[in-house]
Amino acid sequence: MTAFIKSFSIKKRDFVRAGEASINVQNILKSLNMDHKLIRRIAICGYEGEMNAVMHGGDGILTVEIDTGRIILDIADNGDGIENIELAMQKGYSTATEEHREMGFGAGMGLPNMKVNSDMLSVESEKGKGTHLHMEFYVSTD
Amino acid sequence: MSWKGWCKVTVKDLVEKFGLQAAAGEKGLGRSVKSGFCGDLLSDVMANAPEGCVWLTIQSHQNIIAVAVLREMACIVITGGHTPDIETIDKAGKEGIPLLLWPGSAYTLAGSIYSAGIT
């Protein structure tokens, strides 16, 4: 049974609104008095995924689902897609443009950061069609 | 004068002690500063900046505000004399994140803040 589900749209190259979906998710989790460290991990993953969608995605959707015992983040876009997921998972590998790098993106840490900070990460992508990131965070019940 | 042993240092204390210029987000000047972080690569900052930190960066575009909100920072200092974009100023005001300016290098300011007891 899903207790709560909410989606936020992400617009391609919209650096004005970039980060807002993740901030909204953070506020929702705070209002539910979720564990502080858990919120920080989810904030990192949400932001990295959201920025990837802004920079490389077409339009996308970030969905947060709060379930019994776990929180799920789904970030799906219909943008560039990832040619080689194994390479993209490596620290330091980046396909960011010069414009992105000037803004401090493109460190090649996005997907590695998401892997470290989530309990489960799956990446599905097809070149030219888009990317779907699925992340799960387990909530301890003690 | 050092802040070592003080129980609480606020953003306003930093502004006054080091002559930082507040460009926006003044309503957050009462936030407490617990540590510091220097970084210009946003993924590095997202991964490693501690909560309640003063963040020194040369980045001046609007995306630094979301990073500061998500990492629950005390404030941002744009170093090296860089000036924030108007969108950055607007967002800082909206989110209540103090946006401060420092004309010198991050190295000198970080050293001074660290020496004062924010470690």
Side-chain angles (χ1 to χ4, degrees), chain A residues 30-45:
Chain A
K30 273 187 185 172
S31 70
L32 294 170
N33 287 319
M34 306 293 288
D35 176 69
H36 201 76
K37 280 187 183 151
L38 180 69
I39 296 178
R40 285 172 72 78
R41 285 167 51 213
I42 295 172
I44 293 174
C45 293

Side-chain angles (χ1 to χ4, degrees), chain A residues 78-83 85 124-132:
Chain A
N78 51 18
D80 302 342
I82 303 169
E83 195 154 16
I85 294 176
E124 284 172 35
S125 189
E126 197 177 332
K127 185 76 185 158
K129 294 213 167 158
T131 301
H132 179 191

Side-chain angles (χ1 to χ4, degrees), chain A residues 2-139:
Chain A
T2 297
F4 180 92
I5 184 162
K6 196 165 169 68
S7 293
F8 303 91
S9 66
I10 302 170
K11 291 264 175 247
K12 184 184 183 180
R13 296 186 50 80
D14 184 354
F15 286 97
V16 179
R17 283 179 55 212
E20 280 184 13
S22 302
I23 291 174
N24 277 318
V25 169
Q26 186 186 41
N27 287 336
I28 290 167
L29 298 176
K30 273 187 185 172
S31 70
L32 294 170
N33 287 319
M34 306 293 288
D35 176 69
H36 201 76
K37 280 187 183 151
L38 180 69
I39 296 178
R40 285 172 72 78
R41 285 167 51 213
I42 295 172
I44 293 174
C45 293
Y47 183 77
E48 294 289 4
E50 186 177 354
M51 291 318 300
N52 277 352
V54 168
M55 290 188 283
H56 306 290
D59 295 339
I61 289 177
L62 181 150
T63 304
V64 60
E65 195 175 328
I66 301 167
D67 210 341
T68 318
R70 64 180 181 168
I71 294 167
I72 299 165
L73 264 189
D74 274 296
I75 303 168
D77 68 62
N78 51 18
D80 302 342
I82 303 169
E83 195 154 16
N84 185 331
I85 294 176
E86 208 176 309
L87 261 182
M89 292 303 298
Q90 286 178 15
K91 255 189 187 172
Y93 178 81
S94 174
T95 55
T97 63
E98 194 54 39
E99 182 200 9
H100 299 152
R101 289 174 201 269
E102 275 173 17
M103 289 195 284
F105 299 108
M109 286 172 69
L111 283 165
N113 271 354
M114 287 184 256
K115 185 157 193 240
V116 167
N117 285 288
S118 61
D119 293 309
M120 197 277 260
L121 164 69
S122 79
V123 184
E124 284 172 35
S125 189
E126 197 177 332
K127 185 76 185 158
K129 294 213 167 158
T131 301
H132 179 191
L133 303 177
H134 175 90
M135 287 173 270
E136 297 194 2
F137 306 85
Y138 305 133
V139 184

Side-chain angles (χ1 to χ4, degrees), chain B residues 98-112:
Chain B
L99 188 63
L100 314 172
L101 308 180
W102 168 251
S105 78
Y107 177 77
T108 56
L109 183 62
S112 304

Side-chain angles (χ1 to χ4, degrees), chain A residues 15-20 22-23 26 30 36 40 43-44 47-48 51 102-105 107 109-110 113, chain B residues 40-44 46-51 59 61-63 65-67 69-72 87 91 94-95:
Chain A
F15 286 97
V16 179
R17 283 179 55 212
E20 280 184 13
S22 302
I23 291 174
Q26 186 186 41
K30 273 187 185 172
H36 201 76
R40 285 172 72 78
I44 293 174
Y47 183 77
E48 294 289 4
M51 291 318 300
E102 275 173 17
M103 289 195 284
F105 299 108
M109 286 172 69
N113 271 354
Chain B
D40 305 316
L41 283 174
L42 301 192
S43 281
D44 173 47
M46 271 310 286
N48 298 309
E51 184 180 342
Q59 297 293 351
H61 59 86
Q62 57 195 335
N63 295 101
I65 305 302
V67 172
V69 171
L70 288 165
R71 292 307 299 188
E72 300 182 272
E87 295 87 355
K91 272 200 175 177
K94 191 179 142 224
E95 298 288 351

